[in-house]
Amino acid sequence: VVHPPQAAAMSKTVLLATEKAFAASAVDAIADVLSKAGYTLKKLENYKESSELVAAVADADAMIIRSDLATKEVIDAAAKLKVITRAGAGFDNIDLEAAKAKEVVVQNTPGANANAVAELVFGMMVTVVRNNFDGSSGTELKGKTLALHGCGNVSVNVIRVAKGFGMRCISYDPFLKPEQITERGAEPVDSVAALFKADFVTLHIPATPETKGSINKELLLSMPKGGTLINTARKEVIDEAGMVEAFTERPDLRYIADVKPDNLDTLRAACGDKADKRVMVTVKKMGAQTLEANNNAGIQAAEQIVAFFEKGEKGPWVNRW
């Protein structure tokens, strides 16, 4: 049972801990939401050592993070902590069991970054199909099939943009009924394998015991000529050794990602002199790196924290007990 305070009898301290700082306008918006509730905003931005986070969280009632690691050490150091809000969708950077053990509610902010990720997917896709704009003839997206592994908030936005390009969309999501996928704008298929018959496969799945390493050589080799895999999810879902083997056997396959593979150099080497056109990886995770997404996620996180303390609302609670 969670027992948030029934009323904010005194000011709450909210730690904004961002190893990669929010845009200044987002920080101002977060501060405004918290100030109106009478809360104190404490900032730890662009820090380098986990020990800095351990020290900063000691007096925090709530914490907003991005991809920062909320480890057991961090959570155990926070004597007053009641809620951690991840400004973004993924939450595999948080030790959920350690939080549960201390009855600390963990939330995410689903949908806040969804459009930003969707636009990045298409920005990278257009770049690759136009051969990095090197002056040579490329191909078009119109009339091609785009397969979505997972049909959540990001996928809904990807589907919306894809329809503008005149693409056919198919999707598989084991947590949705076929009619729910249809309502979201895609044709449902009954397996992951069916997705890999498409020209483009875009991954929108979390890294779980079931999904880690699941995108393997067999799936990649089943793609049609020129098949392109897009990954704006998690690097762990890829069987990286299998990908290298597939890309060695199939010189037409392409990989687009904003999550850098551990074996990027090996993968590029397997692609030889075509590496720049076959493998595109951003310098860091870029899906949520827009001013609008920063503002959306930050404001949503701050509002959820206020609602937690003032109304007892747990919001998108991901470590339920």
Side-chain angles (χ1 to χ4, degrees), residues 103-239:
E103 295 194 356
V104 174
V105 168
V106 176
Q107 309 171 331
N108 62 349
T109 57
N113 301 333
N115 183 70
V117 176
E119 290 190 8
L120 178 65
V121 166
F122 279 91
M124 295 192 296
M125 284 172 63
V126 169
T127 300
V128 166
V129 299
R130 289 303 182 96
N131 297 321
N132 300 342
F133 309 111
D134 67 357
S136 63
S137 293
T139 58
E140 297 180 14
L141 297 178
K142 184 179 180 180
K144 304 300 192 301
T145 298
L146 175 64
L148 302 104
H149 191 353
C151 202
N153 290 304
V154 173
S155 290
V156 168
N157 281 272
V158 171
I159 292 165
R160 172 179 53 80
V161 179
K163 295 299 179 67
F165 276 96
M167 302 186 79
R168 173 189 175 223
C169 295
I170 64 174
S171 182
Y172 173 74
D173 191 317
F175 300 102
L176 295 178
K177 297 176 181 178
E179 55 267 30
Q180 291 176 299
I181 291 175
T182 301
E183 289 169 0
R184 296 178 185 205
E187 301 170 30
V189 296
D190 59 7
S191 68
V192 174
L195 296 174
F196 281 78
K197 307 305 179 185
D199 305 291
F200 298 87
V201 178
T202 180
L203 305 177
H204 302 290
I205 54 176
T208 66
E210 293 76 24
T211 64
K212 288 180 180 178
S214 63
I215 308 304
N216 55 30
K217 177 182 177 180
E218 180 181 3
L219 289 173
L220 292 167
L221 290 179
S222 73
M223 295 191 79
K225 185 175 181 180
T228 302
L229 177 67
I230 304 116
N231 185 7
T232 55
R234 292 289 185 267
K235 67 180 180 180
E236 292 85 359
V237 303
I238 305 291
D239 172 4

